[in-house]
Amino acid sequence: VTRAAPAARATTAGTTASGLEEVTVTSERRSQSAQSLGSSVSVISAQTLAARNVNNVFDLQYLTPSLQVTPQFGSGQPAFTIRGVGFNDYASDNAPTVGVYMDEVASPVPFATNGLMFDIARVEVLRGPQGTLYGRNTTGGAINYILNKPTDHFSVGVNGQYGSYNAAKVDGYISGPITDKIKVRLSGEEQSGGAWQFDGMGGHLGDVQRGALRLLVEAQATDTLKVSFNLHGSIDHSDGGGTHLFTPLTSLQTYVSPTSPVYPADTNRDITHWGTSSQYASLIGISRNQKPFHHIDVGGMSLRLDQQFSFATLTELASYDVANRQEYDNFDGSSLNIADVYFNTRANVFSNELRLTSRAPGPLTWVAGIYYSNQYLSDQYISGFESVYGFNRGVFYSQKVDTVSGFGQLSWKINDKWTLTGGIRGEYEHRQLDNFRAYSFQDSIAAGTMTAYQARRNYDYAKPSGKVELQYRPIHNDMLYISASHGVKSGGFTTYNTADVQRSTTPFKPEQLWAYEIGNKFDLPREHLRFNLSAFYYDYHNEQIQSATVNPQTGLVGAIVNAPRSHLAGGEYEIDWSPLPGLLVSQSGGWAVGQFDRFSSIVKANLVNGVFVGEYRNRKGDSLPAPKLTFNGSVSYKWRMGRYDLTTGMNYSIRSTYRSLFGSLYDVAGYSLWGATMSFGPRDGKWSISAFGNNIFDKKYDVERNYFVNGTNIAMAGMPATWGVRAGVNF
């Protein structure tokens, strides 16, 4: 297990022989020590999330090795990569390589996963293919949010925070029994402010406006039947992310006239520009000087029944969620209408999981289940190209996805030293794209000219996956494991705004990953030291890559393609050491190196006699686009002052340069971030005051570099130095 610093105190279940607190996880559908898992998993506690000011899923990457989360072109949609296994896509309709779960309920719509992280007990980040224990199949891993549950006694908590750029946050909860059989917990959070980007003319960008509520109800219907209900909703009407030009903007010279003006590169990473043409503004219903925004509203409910039998627990988990995305982004870093995009998306997801988990003690433990998911998505995606192509373009379509799977896993404790685990999953998915229409717009949607139409495209697949794992305990405090697993990620459709209907509606294939891992989890009790080490090798088939195709009239058009063969290798380490009472040193790191074994892709489009022609390159031996090295660490010390504790700490995160598929110009340089934390309060937790500083040395860095139209080389900057103070009370 790799743990974020400081230690995950809220998830402990006693103290181990090493003097370090034992972390309990539920990633294998039962509560158990993380040190007993034959896999690599990070656990991040509620205290760590608050101390490090983690507000959304993007911030998790700085607490977890081998995890990368990037905003696609600065949009509100996260793209996840674990151990180099990732999927970059700004469209709304495709599934990620990393599954995101909220109390075991899957969220297969990527833009709906960037919600508020509040009233959470812990976050579990699993690395490697998942499927034999989870409703959905993934190749990269899984992120599980474990919520705080209703309490047996009445309790209330309120926290307020204020920080840099007038960023404010208020969260709280009310929890307790309302009868001897029913407990409830109502919690919520609101965030505002935080605009740290500017346009050089008095305008600022980056304000957050978010709010969320969650109601949890637990009822002990009988001695053996427990009913849990989750009702939740969130509204996010925040500014979008701005981009800066890291080279001069030359698109007008390429597409309009060689004598057109060249716009200089930005000299400050925190600067950005926005704006569009009056025609495009009218087309999507905004003002010409509208700031980029992402309005993402999510709501839903889940119902869980746990019926205990003498030999097993039968769990029925049903959920229904609705997510809306209205988003306007400026992908050219200017006030021109070169690469402006607008999303208007609605998604509904119903899922149901029925599983049986063994209870009786003994050498055999097992879990088996069936899973069904139905997803409907309706999407409008409109791009503004008026300044370069003389028109704007959009696509309209709907998509239905039905997924059915059966899964199971069995562990056999052969003796005190050896344990054998095997799992299998069978999955069938039907993906249907309906009424795909591509338009060219001159004035309005009503006056648009249809350039392509496809009534229906279907894509089906049925794939098996599985896992086998062997554990060996040579001594009481040491566990060795070796495993082989196979994961699958759904195929899909590109659906970008192109007149090439064949490219947009031709499905890309599911990707498959064979993963081989070996690891060791070791405690040294007398030295109060825990040391975990893992190494892996991944054999990748049909890896899904954000690449491009060529439109003869306009040049490159984005497209998801399959790389037939590639591979990855690497490892991770984790060290927790408490050499003195109150002193905790936590260090972790990840290394992942991958390359293509068989793949050719377009690198650019050349204008030849008025027609764009693609230039291809053999990618064999090229690095996969992810950081090779990630390091995280912290040192904290708890000072005991009578009935009070003062805890101070320092933390860091280091990421190496990673290479872009589009050439060295778009490589994202590595960077190091340092932070500091401090908290003070009584030991009984009735109140607390705390402070944090992130990126305290004000490192200037980018988190993404890309281009949308030739000549618009844009980058998304990382956050500058920020600070905040926080106070809370609990009754």
Side-chain angles (χ1 to χ4, degrees), residues 393 496-500 503-504 547-551 554-559:
R393 183 166 285 169
Y496 294 156
N497 55 338
T498 172
D500 185 353
R503 168 54 66 187
S504 291
S547 184
T549 186
V550 175
N551 183 305
T554 62
L556 292 181
V557 176

Side-chain angles (χ1 to χ4, degrees), residues 607-722:
L607 192 61
V608 179
N609 297 324
V611 176
F612 283 96
V613 178
E615 180 179 322
Y616 288 80
R617 192 175 86 189
N618 186 352
R619 295 291 189 174
K620 182 177 181 179
D622 285 2
S623 296
L624 300 185
K628 292 182 174 64
L629 295 170
T630 58
F631 297 101
N632 305 286
S634 71
V635 177
S636 65
Y637 188 77
K638 181 179 292 186
W639 310 76
R640 293 188 175 271
M641 301 176 176
R643 296 186 297 111
Y644 302 92
D645 288 335
L646 172 65
T647 303
T648 57
M650 292 284 294
N651 57 78
Y652 70 89
S653 180
I654 299 174
R655 310 175 75 75
S656 67
T657 296
Y658 73 88
R659 309 300 176 189
S660 170
L661 289 177
F662 299 108
S664 59
L665 182 65
Y666 304 98
D667 292 349
V668 178
Y671 53 89
S672 302
L673 304 177
W674 290 82
T677 60
M678 182 178 67
S679 64
F680 178 77
R683 204 160 296 130
D684 60 13
K686 295 295 184 182
W687 59 267
S688 66
I689 55 174
S690 59
F692 69 87
N694 289 335
N695 190 13
I696 57 177
F697 298 118
D698 201 24
K699 174 68 176 179
K700 303 300 182 183
Y701 63 103
D702 291 331
V703 296
E704 185 180 21
R705 286 190 167 193
N706 215 321
Y707 71 96
F708 200 71
V709 172
N710 285 343
T712 59
N713 298 321
I714 57 173
M716 179 69 192
M719 287 283 289
T722 57

Side-chain angles (χ1 to χ4, degrees), residues 558-575:
I560 306 297
V561 301
N562 291 104
R565 290 295 299 271
S566 50
H567 72 271
L568 286 148
E572 287 134 1
Y573 72 89
E574 177 267 333
I575 300 172

Side-chain angles (χ1 to χ4, degrees), residues 1-2 39-42 64-67 82-83 125-130 140-142 517 534 538 572:
V1 61
T2 301
S39 59
S40 183
V41 53
S42 296
T64 306
S66 302
L67 173 66
I82 294 181
R83 290 177 167 177
V125 181
L126 288 78
R127 289 180 279 275
Q130 308 294 320
E517 183 170 335
S534 63
Y538 287 173
E572 287 134 1

Side-chain angles (χ1 to χ4, degrees), residues 532-555:
N532 296 335
L533 186 68
S534 63
F536 64 89
Y537 179 83
Y538 287 173
D539 186 12
Y540 227 152
H541 296 253
N542 287 322
E543 179 181 0
Q544 295 167 3
I545 297 293
Q546 187 185 63
S547 184
T549 186
V550 175
N551 183 305
Q553 285 73 46
T554 62

Side-chain angles (χ1 to χ4, degrees), residues 187-242:
S187 58
E189 182 170 283
E190 183 176 4
Q191 294 181 10
S192 62
W196 58 276
Q197 295 180 295
F198 61 95
D199 65 357
M201 297 180 290
H204 291 81
L205 185 69
D207 272 330
V208 170
Q209 185 181 346
R210 295 172 175 163
L213 283 173
R214 182 190 304 125
L215 174 66
L216 301 181
V217 181
E218 290 186 357
Q220 196 67 46
T222 69
D223 291 342
T224 59
L225 175 61
K226 179 181 177 181
V227 180
S228 303
F229 179 70
N230 180 327
L231 178 66
H232 55 269
S234 66
I235 297 174
D236 184 352
H237 287 187
S238 303
D239 290 348

Side-chain angles (χ1 to χ4, degrees), residues 225-394:
L225 175 61
K226 179 181 177 181
V227 180
S228 303
F229 179 70
N230 180 327
L231 178 66
H232 55 269
S234 66
I235 297 174
D236 184 352
H237 287 187
S238 303
D239 290 348
T243 58
H244 65 270
L245 293 165
F246 66 89
T247 68
L249 192 157
T250 60
S251 300
L252 298 181
Q253 286 191 320
T254 302
Y255 295 100
V256 180
S257 168
T259 61
S260 295
V262 174
Y263 289 77
D266 294 316
T267 57
N268 188 327
R269 278 186 167 89
D270 296 346
I271 202 167
T272 186
H273 306 280
W274 58 83
T276 188
S277 68
S278 56
Q279 176 188 329
Y280 185 75
S282 176
L283 186 66
I284 65 174
I286 64 172
S287 67
R288 184 173 181 180
N289 296 316
Q290 170 70 53
K291 294 180 181 180
F293 63 82
H294 55 257
H295 293 177
I296 298 175
D297 301 331
V298 179
M301 63 183 70
S302 65
L303 178 66
R304 174 172 176 158
L305 307 177
D306 290 293
Q307 175 65 60
Q308 294 185 4
F309 301 102
S310 60
F311 68 100
T313 298
L314 179 65
T315 300
E316 158 68 13
L317 179 58
S319 67
Y320 180 76
D321 286 277
V322 178
N324 294 321
R325 178 190 192 187
Q326 283 190 296
E327 181 172 333
Y328 162 60
D329 294 308
N330 186 305
F331 288 173
D332 54 52
S334 76
S335 60
L336 302 172
N337 182 15
I338 294 177
D340 299 331
V341 299
Y342 174 74
F343 302 89
N344 188 0
T345 311
R346 177 183 174 85
N348 307 324
V349 181
F350 169 78
S351 67
N352 191 86
E353 182 175 309
L354 181 67
R355 69 172 184 268
L356 199 61
T357 307
S358 64
R359 291 186 63 219
L364 292 177
T365 58
W366 49 268
V367 59
I370 55 176
Y371 175 82
Y372 170 73
S373 173
N374 172 264
Q375 175 185 327
Y376 173 79
L377 181 142
S378 176
D379 196 19
Q380 298 179 8
Y381 170 58
I382 302 172
S383 288
F385 300 128
E386 184 183 349
S387 295
V388 285
Y389 302 150
F391 57 80
N392 300 308
R393 183 166 285 169

